[in-house]
Amino acid sequence: MRPSPISATVDFDADGVQHGFLKLPVSHDESAWGAVMIPVTVVKNGDGPTALLTGGNHGDEYEGITALLKLARRLTAEEVTGRVIIVPMMNQPAAQAGRRTSPMDRGNLNRSFPGDPDGGPTKQIADYFTRVLVPMCDIALDLHSGGRTLDILPFAAAHRLDDLDLERQSLKGAIDFGASTAIMMYELDAAALYDTVVESQGKVLVTTELGGGGTSTPASIEISERGVRNFLIFAGITEGEVQRPPRQQYVEMPDASCYVQSEHAGLLEMTCALGGLVREGEVVARIWDITRTGAEPVAYRASRDGLVLARRFPARVEMGDTLVVIGELVETLER
Ligand SMILES: [Zn+2]
């Protein structure tokens, strides 16, 4: 495989604070010898662990983007032992367009890993992370949220892994992130995720969902910023004490039945609240036919007892859309 076409304008080995770009050459109608410019900040001070902090893996998930833009402005080299690499807008073309996927090649970055140096821009970005940035890091935090189509209870999450020690460290990172909810997450399709690349290289990966609706709130930004601060302390890169809420709840997602998906199109009426508790069989949503009056709505029911982790955000719904995600409250996520 040829080397990545992406080059960095920062020196990852230099001490101090550098703001620069990851430059991906792309030749198009508006710029024959142009480049996609992905902003990057490196803060380094001597020897120590490297944390890779990313947002904008999906371009319409603003909580992580905002928190990392703020961190990149404030973090000083004196505060750091080791290195922090901050990429607030991984899929820069998607973030620039305010979309989940890239307008350049319709690529969904978090379904494009491990990537390809000879693919479209999205696969080329994925490949650069897989072969250049992830190998540089010891620990990674990827900040997601619901974007335009989902609203999600703010949480940090780890995954069940064959490497039990790595699973334990990742879970500790998710709990130390300090959101009110920590989750052992079940992914619908993990094969092409960034998470899977990081974990398969034996590195700690904490992922998050921090709100949604294609916006942010003072509360969701506060959770995101505190989480990033906590994560750097957890990584042993900055000093201080991890700040966790007085009560945290732990949620397990055992399998795909956590996801309630639509088999109808129409108007969504939510009958459960985000963060609320539901019982198995309880109606969590109705879908109304808006082409006529007098028709019976279709009821969707909870597949299990549990906590409402996520909901579809827009009221218009199509077949296949995820309506509600329900997780199981547990005493502990350790095994
Ligand atoms: Zn996302």
Side-chain angles (χ1 to χ4, degrees):
M1 210 182 270
R2 70 168 176 131
S4 170
I6 293 180
S7 59
T9 67
V10 291
D11 177 355
F12 290 105
D13 297 321
D15 279 346
V17 177
Q18 300 170 75
H19 304 288
F21 299 95
L22 308 171
K23 287 174 65 170
L24 167 60
V26 177
S27 178
H28 55 98
D29 285 351
E30 305 308 319
S31 186
W33 292 351
V36 168
M37 305 286 282
I38 304 165
V40 61
T41 292
V42 184
V43 182
K44 183 174 178 296
N45 185 12
D47 294 329
T50 294
L52 177 56
L53 311 181
T54 50
N57 189 333
H58 294 124
D60 64 347
E61 299 175 359
Y62 298 105
E63 295 83 349
I65 293 174
T66 309
L68 291 183
L69 284 172
K70 293 176 81 169
L71 178 75
R73 249 181 70 77
R74 78 159 173 81
L75 192 65
T76 63
E78 293 69 44
E79 293 171 80
V80 166
T81 303
R83 181 168 58 177
V84 183
I85 301 171
I86 306 168
V87 185
M89 290 134 308
M90 280 175 105
N91 197 350
Q92 190 274 345
Q96 197 66 44
R99 302 178 63 88
R100 182 172 180 82
T101 61
S102 173
M104 299 186 88
D105 57 7
R106 307 195 56 99
N108 179 338
L109 181 57
N110 215 24
R111 303 293 183 275
S112 302
F113 283 87
D116 180 355
D118 297 313
T122 308
K123 285 208 159 172
Q124 290 175 310
I125 294 169
D127 170 66
Y128 183 77
F129 273 85
T130 300
R131 291 194 296 151
V132 179
L133 290 183
V134 174
M136 277 187 208
C137 84
D138 301 291
I139 179 166
L141 173 67
D142 193 27
L143 301 172
H144 288 258
S145 47
R148 285 188 300 171
T149 66
L150 292 169
D151 196 9
I152 307 183
L153 195 67
F155 66 75
H159 298 108
R160 291 282 175 223
L161 301 171
D162 292 336
D163 181 340
L164 281 183
D165 189 49
L166 188 61
E167 177 186 303
R168 223 168 281 132
Q169 291 178 58
S170 306
L171 175 60
K172 172 89 165 58
I175 290 171
D176 276 3
F177 184 85
S180 301
T181 308
I183 293 192
M184 198 50 84
M185 195 157 182
Y186 179 88
E187 305 282 357
L188 283 176
D189 183 7
L193 295 183
Y194 173 61
D195 314 44
T196 306
V197 159
V198 178
E199 289 159 351
S200 67
Q201 292 186 25
K203 319 282 172 95
V204 168
L205 181 279
V206 173
T207 186
T208 67
E209 300 289 353
L210 297 165
T215 187
S216 67
T217 64
S220 68
I221 294 297
E222 192 190 324
I223 293 165
S224 309
E225 286 197 82
R226 186 182 61 212
V228 167
R229 242 183 352 255
N230 281 340
F231 188 78
L232 291 179
I233 296 168
F234 162 75
I237 292 175
T238 56
E239 293 194 353
E241 240 170 72
V242 166
Q243 292 177 343
R244 277 157 50 175
R247 279 194 57 228
Q248 276 181 307
Q249 54 188 359
Y250 303 125
V251 176
E252 182 86 63
M253 292 176 68
D255 54 49
S257 73
C258 295
Y259 295 81
V260 180
Q261 291 181 311
S262 175
E263 295 180 6
H264 300 83
L267 175 68
L268 175 63
E269 177 198 358
M270 291 292 303
T271 57
C272 65
L274 191 62
L277 290 170
V278 293
R279 308 287 301 185
E280 185 180 341
E282 182 180 329
V283 174
V284 290
R286 296 189 190 95
I287 296 180
W288 293 86
D289 182 347
I290 53 170
T291 63
R292 67 201 64 249
T293 56
E296 188 81 17
V298 184
Y300 281 82
R301 294 173 188 279
S303 48
R304 57 177 68 248
D305 291 358
L307 185 73
V308 178
L309 295 175
R311 56 154 291 182
R312 179 169 170 80
F313 193 69
R316 284 302 306 272
V317 60
E318 299 294 333
M319 291 175 70
D321 290 338
T322 288
L323 303 175
V324 176
V325 181
I326 299 166
E328 219 168 81
L329 275 170
V330 292
E331 285 299 314
T332 175
L333 292 168
E334 279 166 34
R335 58 168 179 167

